[in-house]
Amino acid sequence: MRSTRQFGRLGLPAIVIHGGAGTFPDLSEEESALLLEALGTAREAGWEVLERGGSAYDAVVEAVASLEDSGRFNAGRGAVPTDDGAVEFDAGVMDAATGAVGALCAATYPANPVRAARAVAAVGGVPDGPVLLAGAGADDFCAKAGLEAMRPQWLTKGAGRAGPPSALSKEGTVGAVAVDRGGQVAAATSTGGRSGQRRGRVGDSPIPGAGVLAHRCGVAVSATGAGEAFLVAGFSHRVAWERQAGRPLHEAVEAALSAVGELGGTGGAVALSDAGEFVASFTTPAMARAWRGEGAREAYLLPG
Ligand code: ASP
């Protein structure tokens, strides 16, 4: 399967983010510029954390929260509606340094699903859980944890809502991977799912080992694309396994994308190693992506 890939070494610390894989059809020049601006703002939010010596975990949460708040991607304020006009959020976080892992899916409550996933991680994790909270239970947890609630007027899509700014991308699941000065990696992914999806449908995005992973072997992954194929392929685990088998990171991502392709799915991912090697790869026509390391600062929408 044909893929576009960019890879290399960013060193420590570093952050790589994405704003979804797809086609980004009919975007005007101005709209493309707005998407790139929102990507840049999120990347810098994560980079600031890393630059002042903060953790990769804090960096990925801040970067993804910024993408959610921008309203320009399919996550948080810009999340796309389900077939009956509801807006449901899925998000997952993972921190290799502490083993923290948390996620929620089909939730409607949180203003920042990524912060809610982190709150789940703070009270749960492996082996005793919870790792993943769904639907009404997730909403109840968020309310009791005192997390900020999403306000209907903040949503840029769904149920006839039209708050500013407009969500430019219905493909734009968002995610981030980071490595901090201490060589620890973390990952976060957040989405509104697939546009018009059946209510209650959940894809790969919040699932550790599928759409999000920070593995203690020193690899962090955040995926985007045809969620069912990424889920069934165990996408992010596959990247970690290939890596542990000694393959270079870009080959590990490629092998995992091939497994998704064998299931009929397309999409992409960003990945980082604890040595500061990065990959941004996709089998769709485009993927919004940006990264920063010492001496490198880039953002792209199209193959580039
Ligand atoms: N993977 C997401 C999902 O299936 C969608 C996407 O990344 O575009 O929910």
Side-chain angles (χ1 to χ4, degrees):
M1 172 166 288
R2 250 180 69 92
S3 71
T4 299
R5 37 179 151 147
Q6 290 165 299
F7 60 93
R9 185 174 289 273
L10 290 171
L12 308 188
I15 183 160
V16 188
I17 67 172
H18 70 80
T23 55
F24 296 99
D26 307 326
L27 280 188
S28 66
E29 238 171 73
E30 193 195 340
E31 289 168 332
S32 299
L34 287 169
L35 273 186
L36 287 170
E37 186 187 316
L39 271 181
T41 301
R43 176 195 59 203
E44 294 309 302
W47 176 256
E48 272 168 34
V49 173
L50 296 169
E51 208 180 20
R52 61 169 190 262
S55 70
Y57 193 35
D58 284 341
V60 294
V61 170
E62 290 314 311
V64 168
S66 168
L67 291 163
E68 290 174 344
D69 287 344
S70 76
R72 303 235 183 251
F73 299 91
N74 173 16
R77 295 183 186 202
V80 296
T82 59
D83 57 359
D84 61 358
V87 176
E88 296 185 331
F89 309 113
D90 307 331
V93 295
M94 204 162 170
D95 179 26
T98 59
V101 53
L104 79 170
C105 62
T108 60
Y109 180 99
N112 282 111
V114 71
R115 296 196 196 283
R118 185 180 188 155
V120 175
V123 302
V126 284
D128 298 324
V131 165
L132 173 64
L133 291 177
D139 288 337
D140 194 42
F141 167 81
C142 292
K144 287 193 176 124
L147 295 172
E148 187 178 15
M150 180 63 84
R151 300 205 191 139
Q153 66 269 29
W154 288 348
L155 291 168
T156 57
K157 293 200 164 206
R161 293 160 186 134
S166 63
L168 295 173
S169 166
K170 63 180 169 46
E171 298 163 314
T173 289
V174 304
V177 290
V179 57
D180 57 33
R181 283 194 205 287
Q184 300 289 352
V185 295
T189 306
S190 177
T191 189
R194 305 194 90 175
S195 190
Q197 69 183 8
R198 181 187 291 257
R199 191 154 191 183
R201 176 264 177 192
V202 177
D204 62 311
S205 305
I207 309 297
V212 62
L213 184 72
H215 197 273
R216 59 180 185 281
C217 74
V219 169
V221 184
S222 174
T224 166
E228 280 69 12
F230 279 76
L231 184 57
V232 172
F235 177 80
S236 297
H237 267 314
R238 215 171 255 264
V239 174
W241 291 331
E242 297 285 349
R243 175 70 174 179
Q244 284 173 291
R247 291 181 92 163
L249 190 60
H250 66 276
E251 284 184 19
V253 171
E254 226 51 41
L257 281 175
S258 293
V260 169
E262 280 162 25
L263 295 168
T266 57
V270 294
L272 255 178
S273 77
D274 55 3
E277 301 148 286
F278 89 101
V279 181
S281 189
F282 50 99
T283 57
T284 43
M287 181 173 81
R289 60 210 185 275
W291 55 83
R292 185 157 181 191
E294 218 53 72
R297 194 201 303 217
E298 309 278 353
Y300 300 89
L301 216 48
L302 298 173

